[in-house]
Amino acid sequence: MYFQNMVPYLKLVKFDNLLLIAFIQLCIKYGLFDPFGIDITLNAFGIGLLVLATIMITAAGNIIIEIYDQENSASNGIIQGSISEKTANKWYIILNVIGVLIGFYLANLIGKPGFSALFIIISAIFYIYASYLKEILVLKNIIIGLLAGISLIVIPLFDLLPAITDQNRTSQTVIFSIILDYSIFAFVITIIREIAKDCIHIDKDHNHNIKTIPIQLGKSRTAKLISALTFVPLAMVIYYINTYLFSNTIAVTLILAIIVAPLLYFILKSWNAETQNDFKKLSKILKIISFLTSVTLLFYQFILK
């Protein structure tokens, strides 16, 4: 019974997406930092707090988006079937306060108090997105992509950057650049996934007078656009292989199998996508690709040593 009561709340905060964010962040910490002896600032407890702060802010952001969605619907103030708008607002405030306070603590802990503003800015972006930016064509997709990329960058900002010295600058910069590459990949993949999700919600968005790419182009053309856009992350991965990993057969094989192959499969499936179910499958495929991409961070310690 308790679990059944929790289900609407887990859906409200998009718990599966939160788990994916936490997993990616921990892969960065324990796949790149620790195995290669990189100078860091935070211990296990500190990194746990950083992950928690990110999750709290993101969960709050997901709640405010749902609140504004229901205000435009005929749900009579009820979210996820059983949560009142008042309760949702309460949890939005609580999670934001927790996230910002943890961020403030961590920023002062690493001697960078100004970094605490990052969590406030991200919280504000979520609110502005939900209340205004979500209705702006294309920009709505880019904003979510940027937030996805930032969720990766926040780890080196708090753990790596404060530990940079003249002596370790080269090694620290290399690791930071790897994470930046992954964040750009996450940015692009998230944009494509958001477009696919717009196709799923096309009827609801149309009723709410929200302009989205599928509404402007139609589902069929949007499916072709999604397929074409996927060549961007595909090209990024191939360039990455050719530039950094070409001499390592194990690494090349690994990347081809768990990233390139799924991307090619996605391109083929998205080209002829038509139904809502088709686009739901595409969204799940991209989530799987994001997970598999995160897993590759754990293999650097074995293939590059």
Side-chain angles (χ1 to χ4, degrees):
M1 178 66 72
Y2 177 76
F3 179 75
Q4 290 180 340
N5 292 335
M6 287 298 297
V7 169
Y9 290 92
L10 296 178
K11 290 182 178 180
L12 177 64
V13 299
K14 294 181 173 57
F15 188 68
D16 54 340
N17 290 340
L18 299 182
L19 285 179
L20 181 58
I21 292 172
F23 179 75
I24 294 173
Q25 291 181 325
L26 292 175
C27 284
I28 291 173
K29 171 68 173 181
Y30 296 105
L32 287 180
F33 294 179
D34 286 11
F36 290 98
I38 299 300
D39 292 325
I40 56 175
T41 308
L42 299 173
N43 56 20
F45 178 70
I47 205 69
L49 285 179
L50 182 56
V51 171
L52 180 61
T54 307
I55 295 305
M56 293 293 103
I57 296 294
T58 305
N62 291 334
I63 290 175
I64 196 64
I65 291 172
E66 286 290 329
I67 290 174
Y68 271 90
D69 278 350
Q70 73 83 24
E71 286 182 354
N72 292 323
S73 66
S75 59
N76 296 318
I78 302 299
I79 304 172
Q80 293 297 337
S82 61
I83 304 173
S84 68
E85 184 178 346
K86 181 180 179 180
T87 300
N89 271 302
K90 180 183 71 175
W91 279 108
Y92 166 70
I93 295 172
I94 291 173
L95 294 176
N96 260 326
V97 170
I98 293 174
V100 170
L101 287 178
I102 294 175
F104 179 79
Y105 169 77
L106 289 173
N108 284 275
L109 182 67
I110 64 175
K112 303 283 185 180
F115 280 16
S116 59
L118 178 64
F119 295 94
I120 299 173
I121 292 171
I122 293 174
S123 176
I125 290 174
F126 268 115
Y127 182 84
I128 297 171
Y129 170 84
S131 60
Y132 175 66
L133 296 180
K134 190 178 181 181
E135 299 181 2
I136 301 178
L137 184 68
V138 179
L139 182 60
K140 65 187 294 294
N141 307 109
I142 294 176
I143 292 297
I144 297 299
L146 284 173
L147 291 170
I150 291 173
S151 68
L152 275 67
I153 291 295
V154 71
I155 298 297
L157 280 180
F158 276 77
D159 202 19
L160 202 68
L161 188 62
I164 293 179
T165 64
D166 291 337
Q167 290 72 34
N168 65 18
R169 188 175 301 276
T170 300
S171 59
Q172 303 284 94
T173 302
V174 169
I175 297 297
F176 199 100
S177 66
I178 292 175
I179 301 171
L180 181 61
D181 291 337
Y182 273 77
S183 68
I184 295 173
F185 184 84
F187 166 72
V188 177
I189 288 293
T190 302
I191 288 178
I192 296 172
R193 184 165 179 254
E194 285 299 307
I195 297 174
K197 288 166 65 178
D198 285 340
C199 290
I200 299 172
H201 304 135
I202 187 170
D203 293 333
K204 183 180 72 173
D205 290 336
H206 179 73
N207 291 334
H208 298 164
N209 295 317
I210 297 176
K211 293 182 180 179
T212 64
I213 293 175
I215 289 176
Q216 297 297 108
L217 299 181
K219 279 189 178 181
S220 180
R221 290 181 180 177
T222 302
K224 304 296 188 294
L225 175 63
I226 290 172
S227 184
L229 286 176
T230 309
F231 280 99
V232 175
L234 179 63
M236 291 170 61
V237 175
I238 293 174
Y239 172 80
Y240 199 85
I241 292 174
N242 186 59
T243 304
Y244 301 107
L245 304 174
F246 191 73
S247 60
N248 193 315
T249 305
I250 297 177
V252 172
T253 303
L254 177 68
I255 300 299
L256 288 176
I258 70 175
I259 300 181
V260 173
L263 282 173
L264 289 173
Y265 175 76
F266 179 85
I267 290 173
L268 293 174
K269 294 293 291 185
S270 59
W271 185 260
N272 293 315
E274 294 180 354
T275 66
Q276 187 181 60
N277 192 47
D278 289 338
F279 289 104
K280 284 182 178 179
K281 288 180 179 178
L282 292 179
S283 179
K284 290 180 180 179
I285 292 172
L286 287 179
K287 186 178 289 189
I288 292 172
I289 291 174
S290 296
F291 172 77
L292 293 175
T293 303
S294 306
V295 171
T296 62
L297 288 163
L298 301 176
F299 289 101
Y300 278 89
Q301 56 188 299
F302 304 111
I303 63 180
L304 296 183
K305 282 190 174 183

